[in-house]
Amino acid sequence: NGYLTDDRFNPTAGLDACGGLEVAGPPGDVGFIKAWGGSTMHVPLAPILDEREKKGAGFFSNLFSGLSFHTAVHGGMIKALDFGGLTNTGAVTNLSDRFYVGGSHQLRGFLPAGIGPRSAVGGASTPGGDSVGGDVFYTASASLSMPFPGNQYLAKSGVRLFGFANAGTLTSFENAMKPRAFMNSTRTAVGGGVSLGTKMGRLEATYAVPLRYGPKDARRAVQAG
């Protein structure tokens, strides 16, 4: 929840983690076990210089004032359980219980629910069919950020400029049990953007270039949210 960071929604230093476990079964008619989690790390690489310090600092000290490194890893899995025939789930999870991956705060360069298994038809706004979700996913990202350069008002207001690289995938439980195929399904993208932490949450606008993607993935270069 951001308690170990210097800013809950636009941190530059600290650690954060999240996770959860959900089990469904009798007396309901759906059975599964679902687990997810992740962690982020924010490392300041250079102090923020005030106007007086900038006058006496060198070119690179000024250029990289307030620079921070960020990394994040998240993942999850869901497995259907039939509890010896007491539920109607069988070996297949329901669409509403599965994971969906994509979007500016999860996997930049792809629309929300933009990667992973898709139906054979539908999906008017995507090359493939509608997203049907997946049983196993991971996302990972690394980025560098700094106070917005060249504008003291934006910089002091907390607006930061950042560059990033992110990767991730979403697949069925069966395919996830094949490590080579699972890793080969990874999508990647690089890009940059601006971010601001507000009382309502983190706001960011990004431009991404997908480097690795599937033929049915819903890609998006410019995103805001």
Side-chain angles (χ1 to χ4, degrees), residues 150-193:
N151 189 308
Q152 286 298 313
Y153 175 77
L154 292 179
K156 291 181 179 180
S157 297
V159 179
R160 296 183 69 84
L161 182 71
F162 66 93
F164 67 86
N166 60 197
T169 194
L170 173 69
T171 188
S172 65
F173 190 87
E174 291 72 19
N175 287 339
M177 296 301 100
K178 306 170 185 176
R180 186 181 183 89
F182 181 69
M183 296 310 299
N184 284 341
S185 70
T186 292
R187 283 79 161 173
T188 61
V190 298

Side-chain angles (χ1 to χ4, degrees), residues 19-151:
L21 177 67
E22 183 179 358
V23 179
D29 60 356
V30 175
F32 64 81
I33 181 170
K34 184 177 184 179
W36 64 93
S39 63
T40 60
M41 179 175 64
H42 313 277
V43 182
L45 301 179
I48 298 178
L49 304 179
D50 59 29
E51 292 304 310
R52 181 181 59 82
E53 292 172 326
K54 286 182 178 181
K55 293 180 181 179
F59 173 77
F60 287 105
S61 295
N62 277 286
L63 179 64
F64 297 119
S65 172
L67 184 69
S68 288
F69 171 74
H70 316 267
T71 184
V73 178
H74 292 84
M77 62 78 65
I78 181 172
K79 179 72 170 65
L81 302 174
D82 65 6
F83 291 92
L86 295 178
T87 67
N88 299 326
T89 303
V92 180
T93 52
N94 290 335
L95 293 178
S96 59
D97 299 321
R98 297 173 186 169
F99 295 103
Y100 295 84
V101 174
S104 59
H105 295 288
Q106 192 177 32
L107 189 63
R108 301 180 183 102
F110 300 87
L111 287 173
I115 71 169
R118 312 193 83 82
S119 63
V121 296
S125 62
T126 64
D130 295 320
S131 175
V132 296
D135 299 325
V136 181
F137 86 94
Y138 89 88
T139 60
S141 68
S143 61
L144 290 169
S145 74
M146 64 174 63
F148 197 88
N151 189 308

